[in-house]
Amino acid sequence: MYSTNDQSKSRLDLIRQKLYIIIYGVNTPAGKAFDIGLLIVILLSVFTIMAETVEGIDHRFHDELIVLEWIFTIVFTIEYLTRIFVSKKPFRYIFSFYGIIDLLSILPMFFSLFLVGSHILSSFRILRLLRLFRVFRLIEFMEESSRLKVALLASRAKIMVFLYTVMIISILIGTLMYYIEGPENGFTSIPKSVFYTIVTLTTVGYGDMVPTTALGQFFSMVLMVIGYGIIAVPTGIVGVEIAREAGKKLNKGNENNIQHTNLNGIVCAHCNKEGHRTDADYCYSCGHFLNS
Amino acid sequence: MYSTNDQSKSRLDLIRQKLYIIIYGVNTPAGKAFDIGLLIVILLSVFTIMAETVEGIDHRFHDELIVLEWIFTIVFTIEYLTRIFVSKKPFRYIFSFYGIIDLLSILPMFFSLFLVGSHILSSFRILRLLRLFRVFRLIEFMEESSRLKVALLASRAKIMVFLYTVMIISILIGTLMYYIEGPENGFTSIPKSVFYTIVTLTTVGYGDMVPTTALGQFFSMVLMVIGYGIIAVPTGIVGVEIAREAGKKLNKGNENNIQHTNLNGIVCAHCNKEGHRTDADYCYSCGHFLNS
Amino acid sequence: MYSTNDQSKSRLDLIRQKLYIIIYGVNTPAGKAFDIGLLIVILLSVFTIMAETVEGIDHRFHDELIVLEWIFTIVFTIEYLTRIFVSKKPFRYIFSFYGIIDLLSILPMFFSLFLVGSHILSSFRILRLLRLFRVFRLIEFMEESSRLKVALLASRAKIMVFLYTVMIISILIGTLMYYIEGPENGFTSIPKSVFYTIVTLTTVGYGDMVPTTALGQFFSMVLMVIGYGIIAVPTGIVGVEIAREAGKKLNKGNENNIQHTNLNGIVCAHCNKEGHRTDADYCYSCGHFLNS
Amino acid sequence: MYSTNDQSKSRLDLIRQKLYIIIYGVNTPAGKAFDIGLLIVILLSVFTIMAETVEGIDHRFHDELIVLEWIFTIVFTIEYLTRIFVSKKPFRYIFSFYGIIDLLSILPMFFSLFLVGSHILSSFRILRLLRLFRVFRLIEFMEESSRLKVALLASRAKIMVFLYTVMIISILIGTLMYYIEGPENGFTSIPKSVFYTIVTLTTVGYGDMVPTTALGQFFSMVLMVIGYGIIAVPTGIVGVEIAREAGKKLNKGNENNIQHTNLNGIVCAHCNKEGHRTDADYCYSCGHFLNS
């Protein structure tokens, strides 16, 4: 049925279909190469921007770096326009999460023509890597990623209670430390004391603020041991969820795979829906042919 | 039976009943709105007090902040009096844990009329948030919270042994470090050395005291690796308890829910009892109508 | 049989038996009181010594602190002599682990008569607390403690492999950092670089040595992420062991308790053997009557 | 069959065989002694090199240290030549992983004759310890080690996704911090900000760079809590894998051990194959007699 459909398509549609398979596809050699190439170009372009902020490097290679950035930006612009071209519903892509990120990763460079320095904002194009989780593209990887997501979502309730508790403890002990240590010992305000409390509770411990009174040191020690113990809570929560997911997977493996969740990150070019089965060939929503 | 009872109640009793449902209720829209409103007001008032301790902000907005604080305090005072009014046994509320916190969160502001600066103590009203765990009020949330509590209580014995061991290690190695490093290297007293030991053992590592002798550095490295390993103990303990609780929940789910623990944090207005089933409509102890 | 034996005992033997029950006993009120009293006295005496090293306190209360210390030392000396007196085989006690600690916790004070300052060594008497794990004396606590010990022993092999790996990584990356950063950036020697590596790997992060070269910062970042991941290994190991122990306990609970391990820390006064059942009345080794 | 084979061997072959058993063997007393001796010599030689970089020590014992190092190097050279001699296929050994490490651990000292200071590179001979995991040579140890390796390999997919996520978060928040704090607060470039982000996310917290603006402190606090939570992910992953491996081992224990994985690290002298069963006597690949 589809093949007769294809034959009646115009030549443009055929090109569009082919480009679509390359850009969104995972299973064809061309699609694979495109993904890996894109990953490398994104990383290179981010490193270029990062290099520009290092004075020593920027001083010597300023012009080269700017040229490189323009090249990357033009590549991304072409890619962006192609993505619009191959989408059957371009506006859906343009206003999708990834569409906006794609746009935001090229705009700063063009703005820099009018506003000096704004091109540094391009480094946020690192977010484009989010889409490329599938570069490690084995189905297994997609599943690991989704399983982590599922585990975290399942623990949402526990995590909220945990964060709420951490907030109450931080503000409470932060206020206490402000009274005990006071501005003369560097605890100049309650927000700064709360900052100190979080720094200590999470065992980061910058050392820019350190209690100097005996009482302050005592409470800090209590705080450290609490923090040391509290870390067990998220670990326990996530551990249990991961174990549960791992168990499910094991059980699922014995049955047939029909109910298997498939959060495969592939986006339908037709309707921009996500969440297809990893082994899906057609979009579950609009029936459009998926990546290959 | 209850409805005939209600009809014979005076108008004041009806108002009291309605207010009670709003303040302590969880399931009605009004109760929900009250809880969320209270959460926001508490947070805002705490942030106001915190802002006051930041010199830059206080300098520019001192009067505005004081006005805001008075508004919050008056709101809390009205709420406090209403809580007393709706309770059938007011003294039970007044001397309950939350009753005392509610009082303590309004007193400092009134004291500040006589004692300049004491209103900063109001920031301890963050403790009022403890009651609002139910704002995230899904039954699930209450259960998560109680399950964490149960898990921690079940591990109480292990945790005590763990803390006792940490104390012995800290004082022992703290004394050792005091002899090795000595006052000339910043380890001016055993308590300070114990502080250093805890800072290192919990992997906080401020860096305000750092061993400079070879022996001191060697013992510190041993301490770090111990600390790095010891962190596994609370994690293992809590992890197992959470797993066990999760397992119980799973098993319970298959049976009927009658024996299900219900630590739902709702307090009966009649008898101030806590620990009702999350789906309870009447107090298990006095039969009084509960929150809705 | 025992009772006729007792009647034939001299009066001295009766006193000895009674004192023995008080000192080593756990189940009698007198024994309980003795344990808690000893715990408090040990803590107080350690805090006294710690206070002496704090200049401010020592300056004002030097004489009082010295008097207090002499009191504690005399109390410990009397206790030590009594322990020898009540033991049927005194030399076995004297040369046992706890016997040596007991002696070492009183000797420094007497030495201080000839050698000024040596009494500070008394603070090692904190080790005496090791014996008092049973103060939290519920059978449950003893079991938790032993279970932790069993879990750690069971993981001994894994822990050795883990420490061996950490050692190789530390020396390797420590050497690397020494070449990269060099003495001009504070990495003055390989041992100091290894110290830095351990400080970073265990996520302590004092910040006294910080990489300044790009390459050094890169390797440090790799090291941090390794350390962040490696912490999962001991956690996983101990977690599994604790879970296994918890599982065993559960299974055991369903059977009779006869094979239950009983590492109850009580020492036989006759033969100084440890490791009796928590519910044992007679020594498993020499048949002597145990604590009560 | 083998015995008749042995009789026809020349005397040299017999020596070779005996030396081979000593060097690669684990089960004979001589092999055991050789392994432990080698472990000690490697550690001593590494400590010697480390001592040389400490100015105080080097100043006083420079000549002694150099002599010691030459002794160790000569010992290692003899060992290296012997290893080549006993191998039936010497080139296979020379170009194997351990063969190259063995060579690299003696070369720097000889180079130091022409290039002053290069002998410090010898400290990389710590890598030779990798081979000696079998010094703790109980079969159990080998298995623990392999089980850890298997657990880590099984989690490879999860670990990659985890590292990829950490990289995206680090660059993203690093860039953000660069804009918020700026060069005037020590965040001189994006790479340095990324360094700060990793330092904070992994809870290392050197404190050499610390946010000073309110917004920077806020984002840092978020970062710390994320890092504090994210640590749960590798812990959960590895914990589950270790638990699974432990479970497998338990199950395997009940069956016969035929399918048991044997990554025992012993290298066949004939064909340099690794991965023999821990209780193997002959190479699985070439049938050559293995270590004893």
Side-chain angles (χ1 to χ4, degrees):
Chain A
M1 200 171 91
Y2 244 104
S3 56
T4 55
N5 220 336
D6 280 354
Q7 284 162 358
S8 64
K9 272 181 187 162
S10 73
R11 218 177 127 247
L12 197 71
D13 267 7
L14 268 171
I15 292 171
R16 186 178 280 160
Q17 171 96 28
K18 263 184 191 151
L19 279 172
Y20 178 74
I21 290 169
I22 290 170
I23 292 175
Y24 289 97
V26 177
N27 300 321
T28 59
K32 219 177 286 187
F34 177 82
D35 276 359
I36 290 168
L38 191 60
L39 177 76
I40 292 166
V41 173
I42 293 173
L43 282 178
L44 283 179
S45 85
V46 169
F47 289 147
T48 308
I49 301 160
M50 286 170 77
E52 233 177 297
T53 67
V54 182
E55 216 177 325
I57 298 173
D58 188 49
H59 199 254
R60 286 180 55 195
F61 303 105
H62 184 75
D63 293 344
E64 289 87 340
L65 289 171
I66 292 292
V67 169
L68 264 176
E69 258 194 75
W70 271 113
I71 293 171
F72 291 131
T73 303
I74 288 162
V75 167
F76 289 146
T77 309
I78 293 169
E79 186 216 339
Y80 182 64
L81 296 174
T82 313
R83 278 183 193 270
I84 292 174
F85 169 69
V86 301
S87 291
K88 289 250 165 112
K89 299 184 177 177
F91 287 102
R92 211 156 185 174
Y93 162 69
I94 290 168
F95 295 108
S96 71
F97 175 67
Y98 288 124
I100 290 165
I101 285 177
D102 290 351
L103 185 63
L104 285 179
S105 72
I106 51 176
L107 276 191
M109 201 60 200
F110 293 108
F111 278 154
S112 75
L113 293 175
F114 317 102
L115 207 73
V116 176
S118 63
H119 66 284
I120 296 293
L121 285 165
S122 303
S123 68
F124 287 113
R125 65 174 60 142
I126 190 74
L127 276 173
R128 298 202 63 198
L129 288 182
L130 283 177
R131 179 196 268 136
L132 290 174
F133 267 98
R134 68 184 162 139
V135 163
F136 314 93
R137 52 156 290 282
L138 308 158
I139 286 171
E140 189 193 359
F141 270 83
M142 313 305 291
E143 280 176 10
E144 292 303 344
S145 174
S146 349
R147 212 171 310 138
L148 279 186
K149 228 191 294 173
V150 169
L152 289 175
L153 279 176
S155 314
R156 203 186 42 223
K158 284 202 202 73
I159 289 168
M160 287 297 284
V161 168
F162 173 71
L163 290 179
Y164 192 75
T165 311
V166 165
M167 188 185 73
I168 295 178
I169 292 178
S170 306
I171 295 185
L172 197 69
I173 302 198
T175 306
L176 217 63
M177 288 304 292
Y178 175 71
Y179 286 113
I180 293 171
E181 292 289 324
E184 64 274 18
N185 292 327
F187 291 72
T188 48
S189 67
I190 293 184
K192 273 206 87 171
S193 295
V194 171
F195 178 69
Y196 164 80
T197 309
I198 297 267
V199 164
T200 302
L201 195 70
T202 55
T203 76
V204 170
Y206 288 132
D208 59 328
M209 293 163 78
V210 170
T212 47
T213 65
L215 201 62
Q217 288 179 341
F218 176 76
F219 273 105
S220 293
M221 283 194 276
V222 171
L223 192 63
M224 286 170 216
V225 175
I226 291 176
Y228 201 55
I230 254 185
I231 209 172
V233 176
T235 305
I237 293 167
V238 177
V240 168
E241 293 302 333
I242 289 176
R244 196 180 293 173
E245 282 302 313
K248 268 188 205 163
K249 184 189 166 197
L250 236 68
N251 291 337
K252 280 278 161 61
N254 300 334
E255 307 164 22
N256 56 359
N257 277 315
I258 286 170
Q259 267 95 19
H260 208 296
T261 43
N262 288 289
L263 309 162
N264 64 6
I266 295 162
V267 183
C268 174
H270 223 106
C271 62
N272 277 299
K273 282 264 164 100
E274 297 181 53
H276 304 283
R277 291 176 57 93
T278 43
D279 52 355
D281 282 324
Y282 300 100
C283 175
Y284 69 90
S285 167
C286 65
H288 190 262
F289 186 57
L290 284 172
N291 67 317
S292 82
Chain B
M1 201 172 92
Y2 245 103
S3 56
T4 55
N5 220 338
D6 280 354
Q7 284 163 356
S8 65
K9 271 180 187 165
S10 75
R11 218 176 128 245
L12 196 72
D13 267 8
L14 268 170
I15 293 171
R16 186 178 279 162
Q17 171 94 29
K18 263 181 191 153
L19 279 172
Y20 178 76
I21 289 169
I22 291 170
I23 291 175
Y24 289 98
V26 177
N27 299 320
T28 60
K32 220 177 284 187
F34 178 82
D35 275 359
I36 291 167
L38 191 60
L39 177 77
I40 292 166
V41 173
I42 292 173
L43 281 178
L44 283 178
S45 84
V46 168
F47 289 147
T48 307
I49 301 160
M50 285 169 77
E52 234 177 296
T53 67
V54 182
E55 217 177 326
I57 299 174
D58 188 50
H59 198 254
R60 286 182 53 195
F61 303 105
H62 184 74
D63 294 344
E64 289 87 340
L65 288 171
I66 292 293
V67 168
L68 265 176
E69 258 194 74
W70 271 112
I71 293 171
F72 291 132
T73 304
I74 288 161
V75 167
F76 289 147
T77 309
I78 292 168
E79 187 216 339
Y80 181 64
L81 295 175
T82 314
R83 280 183 192 269
I84 293 175
F85 170 68
V86 302
S87 291
K88 289 251 163 110
K89 298 185 177 175
F91 287 103
R92 213 157 184 174
Y93 162 68
I94 290 168
F95 294 109
S96 73
F97 175 68
Y98 288 125
I100 290 165
I101 286 177
D102 290 350
L103 184 63
L104 285 179
S105 72
I106 51 177
L107 277 190
M109 200 61 199
F110 293 107
F111 278 154
S112 74
L113 293 175
F114 317 103
L115 208 72
V116 175
S118 63
H119 66 283
I120 296 294
L121 285 165
S122 303
S123 67
F124 287 113
R125 63 174 63 143
I126 190 74
L127 277 173
R128 297 201 64 197
L129 288 182
L130 283 178
R131 178 196 269 136
L132 290 174
F133 267 98
R134 66 183 164 140
V135 164
F136 314 94
R137 53 154 288 285
L138 307 158
I139 286 170
E140 189 194 359
F141 270 81
M142 314 306 291
E143 280 174 11
E144 291 304 342
S145 174
S146 349
R147 212 170 311 138
L148 278 187
K149 226 191 297 172
V150 169
L152 288 176
L153 279 176
S155 313
R156 203 186 40 223
K158 284 203 201 72
I159 289 169
M160 287 297 285
V161 168
F162 173 71
L163 290 180
Y164 191 75
T165 311
V166 166
M167 187 184 74
I168 294 178
I169 292 178
S170 306
I171 295 185
L172 198 69
I173 303 199
T175 305
L176 218 62
M177 289 304 291
Y178 174 71
Y179 286 113
I180 294 171
E181 292 288 324
E184 63 275 18
N185 292 326
F187 291 72
T188 48
S189 67
I190 293 184
K192 275 206 87 171
S193 295
V194 170
F195 178 69
Y196 164 81
T197 309
I198 296 267
V199 164
T200 302
L201 195 71
T202 55
T203 76
V204 170
Y206 287 132
D208 59 328
M209 293 161 78
V210 170
T212 47
T213 65
L215 200 62
Q217 288 179 342
F218 176 76
F219 273 105
S220 294
M221 284 194 276
V222 171
L223 194 63
M224 286 169 215
V225 175
I226 291 176
Y228 201 53
I230 255 185
I231 209 172
V233 176
T235 306
I237 292 167
V238 177
V240 168
E241 292 302 333
I242 289 175
R244 197 180 294 172
E245 282 302 313
K248 269 189 205 163
K249 185 190 166 195
L250 235 70
N251 292 337
K252 280 277 161 62
N254 299 333
E255 306 164 23
N256 56 0
N257 275 314
I258 287 171
Q259 267 95 19
H260 208 295
T261 43
N262 287 289
L263 308 161
N264 64 6
I266 295 161
V267 184
C268 174
H270 224 105
C271 63
N272 276 300
K273 282 263 164 105
E274 296 182 54
H276 304 283
R277 290 178 57 94
T278 43
D279 52 355
D281 283 324
Y282 299 100
C283 174
Y284 70 90
S285 167
C286 64
H288 191 263
F289 186 58
L290 284 172
N291 66 318
S292 82
Chain C
M1 200 172 92
Y2 245 102
S3 58
T4 54
N5 220 337
D6 279 354
Q7 284 163 357
S8 65
K9 271 181 187 163
S10 74
R11 220 178 125 245
L12 196 71
D13 267 8
L14 269 172
I15 292 171
R16 185 177 280 162
Q17 170 96 28
K18 261 182 193 154
L19 278 172
Y20 178 75
I21 290 169
I22 291 170
I23 292 175
Y24 288 98
V26 176
N27 300 319
T28 59
K32 220 177 284 187
F34 177 82
D35 275 359
I36 291 168
L38 191 60
L39 177 77
I40 292 166
V41 172
I42 292 172
L43 282 178
L44 282 179
S45 84
V46 168
F47 289 148
T48 307
I49 301 160
M50 286 169 77
E52 234 177 298
T53 66
V54 182
E55 216 177 327
I57 298 174
D58 188 50
H59 199 254
R60 284 182 56 195
F61 303 105
H62 184 74
D63 294 344
E64 289 86 340
L65 289 172
I66 292 292
V67 168
L68 265 176
E69 258 195 75
W70 271 112
I71 293 171
F72 291 131
T73 304
I74 288 161
V75 167
F76 289 146
T77 309
I78 292 169
E79 187 216 338
Y80 181 63
L81 296 174
T82 314
R83 279 185 192 269
I84 293 175
F85 170 69
V86 302
S87 290
K88 289 251 164 113
K89 297 184 178 176
F91 286 103
R92 211 155 185 175
Y93 162 68
I94 290 168
F95 295 109
S96 72
F97 175 67
Y98 287 124
I100 290 165
I101 286 176
D102 290 351
L103 184 63
L104 286 178
S105 73
I106 50 176
L107 276 190
M109 199 62 198
F110 293 108
F111 279 154
S112 74
L113 293 175
F114 316 102
L115 208 72
V116 175
S118 64
H119 66 284
I120 296 293
L121 286 165
S122 303
S123 68
F124 287 113
R125 65 174 60 144
I126 191 74
L127 277 173
R128 298 202 62 197
L129 288 182
L130 283 178
R131 178 197 269 136
L132 290 175
F133 267 97
R134 67 185 163 141
V135 164
F136 313 94
R137 52 156 290 284
L138 308 158
I139 286 171
E140 190 193 358
F141 269 82
M142 313 306 291
E143 280 175 9
E144 293 303 344
S145 173
S146 349
R147 214 171 306 139
L148 279 187
K149 226 190 298 171
V150 169
L152 289 175
L153 279 177
S155 312
R156 203 185 41 221
K158 285 203 201 72
I159 289 168
M160 286 297 284
V161 168
F162 173 71
L163 290 180
Y164 192 75
T165 311
V166 166
M167 186 183 75
I168 294 178
I169 293 178
S170 306
I171 295 184
L172 198 69
I173 303 198
T175 305
L176 217 62
M177 288 303 292
Y178 174 72
Y179 286 112
I180 294 171
E181 291 288 324
E184 63 275 17
N185 292 326
F187 291 71
T188 48
S189 67
I190 294 185
K192 274 205 87 172
S193 295
V194 170
F195 178 69
Y196 164 80
T197 309
I198 296 267
V199 164
T200 301
L201 194 71
T202 56
T203 77
V204 170
Y206 288 131
D208 59 329
M209 292 162 78
V210 170
T212 47
T213 65
L215 200 63
Q217 287 179 342
F218 176 76
F219 273 106
S220 293
M221 285 194 275
V222 171
L223 193 62
M224 285 169 217
V225 175
I226 291 176
Y228 201 54
I230 254 186
I231 209 171
V233 175
T235 305
I237 292 167
V238 177
V240 168
E241 293 301 334
I242 289 175
R244 195 180 295 172
E245 282 301 313
K248 270 188 204 163
K249 185 189 165 196
L250 235 69
N251 292 338
K252 281 278 161 61
N254 300 334
E255 307 165 21
N256 55 359
N257 275 314
I258 286 172
Q259 266 94 18
H260 208 294
T261 42
N262 288 288
L263 309 162
N264 64 7
I266 295 162
V267 183
C268 174
H270 222 104
C271 62
N272 276 299
K273 281 264 163 100
E274 296 182 54
H276 305 283
R277 291 176 58 93
T278 43
D279 51 356
D281 282 324
Y282 300 100
C283 174
Y284 69 90
S285 167
C286 65
H288 190 262
F289 185 58
L290 284 172
N291 68 318
S292 81
Chain D
M1 200 171 94
Y2 244 103
S3 57
T4 55
N5 221 338
D6 281 354
Q7 284 165 356
S8 65
K9 271 180 187 164
S10 73
R11 218 176 128 245
L12 196 72
D13 267 9
L14 268 171
I15 292 171
R16 186 178 279 163
Q17 170 95 27
K18 263 183 191 153
L19 278 172
Y20 177 75
I21 290 170
I22 291 170
I23 291 175
Y24 288 98
V26 177
N27 299 320
T28 58
K32 218 176 286 185
F34 177 81
D35 275 359
I36 290 168
L38 191 61
L39 177 77
I40 291 167
V41 173
I42 292 173
L43 282 178
L44 282 179
S45 84
V46 169
F47 289 147
T48 307
I49 301 160
M50 286 169 76
E52 235 176 297
T53 67
V54 182
E55 215 177 327
I57 298 174
D58 188 50
H59 198 254
R60 285 182 55 196
F61 303 106
H62 184 74
D63 294 344
E64 289 86 341
L65 289 172
I66 292 292
V67 169
L68 265 177
E69 259 195 74
W70 271 112
I71 293 171
F72 291 132
T73 304
I74 288 162
V75 167
F76 288 146
T77 309
I78 293 168
E79 186 215 339
Y80 181 64
L81 296 175
T82 314
R83 279 184 193 269
I84 293 175
F85 169 69
V86 302
S87 291
K88 290 249 164 114
K89 298 183 178 177
F91 286 103
R92 211 156 185 176
Y93 161 69
I94 290 169
F95 295 108
S96 71
F97 176 67
Y98 287 125
I100 289 165
I101 286 177
D102 290 350
L103 184 63
L104 285 178
S105 72
I106 50 176
L107 276 191
M109 201 61 199
F110 293 108
F111 278 154
S112 74
L113 293 175
F114 317 103
L115 208 72
V116 176
S118 63
H119 65 285
I120 297 293
L121 285 164
S122 302
S123 68
F124 287 113
R125 64 173 62 143
I126 191 74
L127 277 173
R128 297 202 64 197
L129 288 183
L130 283 178
R131 178 196 268 136
L132 290 174
F133 267 97
R134 68 183 162 140
V135 163
F136 315 93
R137 53 157 288 285
L138 307 158
I139 286 170
E140 190 193 357
F141 269 82
M142 313 306 290
E143 281 176 9
E144 292 303 343
S145 173
S146 349
R147 212 170 310 137
L148 279 187
K149 227 190 296 173
V150 169
L152 289 175
L153 280 176
S155 313
R156 203 185 41 223
K158 285 203 201 72
I159 289 169
M160 287 297 284
V161 169
F162 173 72
L163 290 179
Y164 192 75
T165 312
V166 166
M167 188 184 73
I168 294 178
I169 292 178
S170 306
I171 295 184
L172 198 69
I173 303 197
T175 307
L176 218 62
M177 289 303 292
Y178 174 72
Y179 286 113
I180 294 171
E181 292 288 326
E184 64 275 18
N185 292 327
F187 291 72
T188 48
S189 67
I190 294 184
K192 274 206 87 171
S193 295
V194 170
F195 178 69
Y196 164 81
T197 309
I198 296 266
V199 165
T200 301
L201 194 72
T202 55
T203 77
V204 170
Y206 288 132
D208 58 329
M209 294 162 77
V210 170
T212 47
T213 66
L215 200 63
Q217 288 178 341
F218 176 76
F219 273 105
S220 294
M221 283 194 276
V222 171
L223 193 64
M224 285 170 217
V225 175
I226 291 176
Y228 201 54
I230 255 186
I231 208 172
V233 176
T235 306
I237 293 167
V238 177
V240 168
E241 293 302 332
I242 289 176
R244 196 179 295 173
E245 282 301 313
K248 268 189 206 162
K249 184 189 166 197
L250 235 70
N251 292 338
K252 281 277 162 61
N254 301 333
E255 308 164 21
N256 55 359
N257 276 314
I258 286 170
Q259 267 95 18
H260 208 295
T261 44
N262 288 289
L263 309 162
N264 63 7
I266 295 162
V267 183
C268 175
H270 223 105
C271 63
N272 276 299
K273 282 265 163 102
E274 296 182 53
H276 305 284
R277 292 178 56 94
T278 43
D279 51 356
D281 282 325
Y282 299 100
C283 175
Y284 70 90
S285 167
C286 65
H288 191 263
F289 186 56
L290 284 172
N291 66 318
S292 80

